[in-house]
Amino acid sequence: MSRTYVIDAGALFSTWTKRVHEGVFFTTTDVVDELRNRPSKFRADLLEVLDRLREEVPATDSIRAARRAAAETGDDSILSETDIDLIALAHSKSQEGMSIVLVSTDLAVLNTARHMGIETVDPSGKFKDDIKWALICPACNHRTAASKAGLECPVCGTPMRRRALKKSRK
Ligand SMILES: [Zn+2]
């Protein structure tokens, strides 16, 4: 069985699709709408003409599953609706029994997808490991393992920032 890929705008901005000569790409309409840059829009149009790129809508159950997973990894505060739909689409396709790979350059998308057991590829090669987030106070450096962004520092009240605890392996 040939591979299928769920790809985001970042994957289409890169020339990654040109290096993959077999298999079908799936994405959402929102992702295609994000392509304002001409070479990537051209690549997407060409792939659609060749019937190698198809726009689909994720199942409602998969959207719920993606939101749940994003809440667990702490990525929910930065993932957009488009990101959630894309992860959900990968989940839908794997539920249909497809051998799916999610291709994205967004670390939060990759992290949540991996958490759901979805195979991932990062065309930029930056994502190597699961990310655990921590909140760090920019004023007093107080740290907490909580994953929700937007919390105030319990020591000094400054809004805390999210940092990756475990950096990618080189
Ligand atoms: Zn503080």
Side-chain angles (χ1 to χ4, degrees):
M1 193 171 73
S2 80
R3 274 271 162 89
T4 41
Y5 302 89
V6 170
I7 60 179
D8 76 351
L12 284 160
F13 287 140
S14 80
T15 55
W16 179 84
T17 55
K18 286 178 125 176
R19 301 196 298 265
V20 181
H21 302 289
E22 279 181 272
V24 173
F25 308 117
F26 288 96
T27 194
T28 64
T29 303
D30 287 349
V31 166
V32 174
D33 289 347
E34 276 179 20
L35 302 173
R36 310 237 183 266
N37 137 300
R38 255 186 294 163
S40 58
K41 183 78 178 90
F42 177 76
R43 269 197 296 279
D45 288 346
L46 184 64
L47 288 167
E48 288 193 350
V49 168
L50 297 171
D51 198 28
R52 287 193 63 204
L53 178 65
R54 299 174 196 166
E55 295 174 28
E56 291 209 6
V57 177
T60 313
D61 281 354
S62 291
I63 295 173
R64 267 199 290 272
R67 285 194 202 288
R68 211 162 37 234
E72 284 166 13
T73 58
D75 293 309
D76 54 345
S77 55
I78 54 167
L79 288 173
S80 67
E81 291 291 309
T82 305
D83 295 334
I84 289 286
D85 280 357
L86 198 81
I87 298 164
L89 183 60
H91 182 262
S92 294
K93 292 289 152 198
S94 65
Q95 294 292 97
E96 288 170 23
M98 285 189 185
S99 161
I100 203 96
V101 181
L102 190 145
V103 188
S104 171
T105 52
D106 185 312
L107 296 184
V109 169
L110 295 167
N111 195 48
T112 297
R114 285 255 298 240
H115 183 69
M116 295 176 83
I118 296 164
E119 198 183 326
T120 63
V121 165
D122 173 11
S124 71
K126 286 188 197 127
F127 188 83
K128 297 270 171 27
D129 215 337
D130 294 353
I131 303 165
K132 286 273 179 285
W133 302 104
L135 292 178
I136 296 169
C137 173
C140 73
N141 282 324
H142 176 76
R143 271 172 175 241
T144 162
S147 61
K148 290 261 186 240
L151 282 181
E152 285 182 357
C153 174
V155 179
C156 71
T158 308
M160 297 182 80
R161 298 228 178 100
R162 206 169 77 138
R163 289 279 150 76
L165 264 189
K166 197 161 63 172
K167 292 273 187 203
S168 308
R169 270 190 234 118
K170 292 278 169 206

